[in-house]
Amino acid sequence: MDVLLQAPAQQIALVIARIYNRGLTTTSGGNISVIDEEKNIWITPSGIDKGSLTEKDIVCINADGSVKGNHKPSSEFPFHKAIYETRKDIKAIIHAHPPALVSYSIVRKVPETNIISQARQVCGHIGYAKYELPGSEALGAKIASEFKKGFSAVIMENHGTVVGGTDLSDCFERFETLEFCARTGIYGSQLGPLNLLSDAAINEFNLQLPNNLPEQDKVTYTSDEKGIRHDICSIVNRACQHGLMISSYGTVSARWRKNDFLITPTGISRWDLQPKDIVQIKGGKREPGKHPSRTAYIHQQIYNMHPKIDSIILTQSPYLMAFAATGKNIDVRTIPESWIFLKDIHQLDFGVQYKTSSEIPKRVSAEKPAVLVKNECVVVTGGSLLQTFDYLEVAEFSARSLVMSSSIGKLFPISDEQTEELRKAFIKA
Ligand SMILES: [Zn+2]
């Protein structure tokens, strides 16, 4: 999505498809709007299938109140209008009924966003609007008054959520991150109490991130280098589609030659990543004018230390993060596949991701490819991008089975004798 050059109708059609395909809205529920420079509001139509919406279906309500388009505007237009009138910095709005956020709305709570450092930064504190009749001016007034207090994300009592942004990309990132917090919070609470980060710890995190790497003088783009750019983008896209990565967080890298590598950039939505955005790191220096992920130094250390590791994924997936947010031990002796691939997932303390620590590079290996960092992320390594992605999927599936099984019975892990038997049969000495 290009929020500068793409027309609002195109942007809205793209985002509604993402939201629908990720299972964050039903065919009938939810609406999206964008306000342009001339104060025209572009909004999804009323009663049209969200699964097949195109830009021709988007309706425009001009600043003078006249309506242009092939359909009736969304019945929730009044609250979109009320938010734009209250907050001039907001240029895009998403309203939907995603299941985890609706869970919070029907028990009348707001999700914790300080379970993960960047989530608090992306979502801020969350507002809460009391129930009113859908489509009514009263609902608009309740929601607008929450936005007036400075909230950019609001839980609507017994209804859903409404999120604003400086553009539709910013808005989608906040919406997706908030639903992610809600899922992680719900799955985590099945394991035990959530550990919350203090505002001081979140601020500290930003101060501890390193300055940018020095720039290369002259860059060489070889054929294999260009191939790796495409491979990284397709893995990132697959991770987003499968709920293993969200817009606001996630880094993928792959070894190029010796200890040089290619890595995803910082500050670009993971959903919109293009091969030209990928950053080449050669001799510890970055491609001029580009900004690699802020964790590039961890990737560099891992490649230096582990010649057999050729690819790394740092991400947040909801079931693994449920363990990382509660600090509960994740036992992957669930099924043979999980144990053979992962052996053990160590859980490291928040703070090991800082530049002064080399704990993450020391803890990963070809034998034990994944570690969790409390309230931060999962780090998965592998011999190729596809293998690393597979290990990530296996780890997330294992975490999911553990969370789901917690309400039906106690875990019986594979025994020591059985793991020994697996080692002999499947793992080369
Ligand atoms: Zn609604």
Side-chain angles (χ1 to χ4, degrees), residues 62-73:
N62 294 329
D64 63 12
S66 61
V67 179
K68 258 198 293 193
N70 299 325
H71 309 285
K72 267 170 56 185

Side-chain angles (χ1 to χ4, degrees), residues 197-225:
L197 291 169
S198 66
D199 286 346
I202 292 169
N203 293 335
E204 163 92 4
F205 171 74
N206 277 321
L207 296 173
Q208 291 292 337
L209 287 165
N211 296 325
N212 225 332
L213 298 169
E215 290 187 347
Q216 301 172 31
D217 298 327
K218 189 175 170 290
V219 191
T220 318
Y221 301 98
T222 59
S223 302
D224 57 337
E225 195 265 19

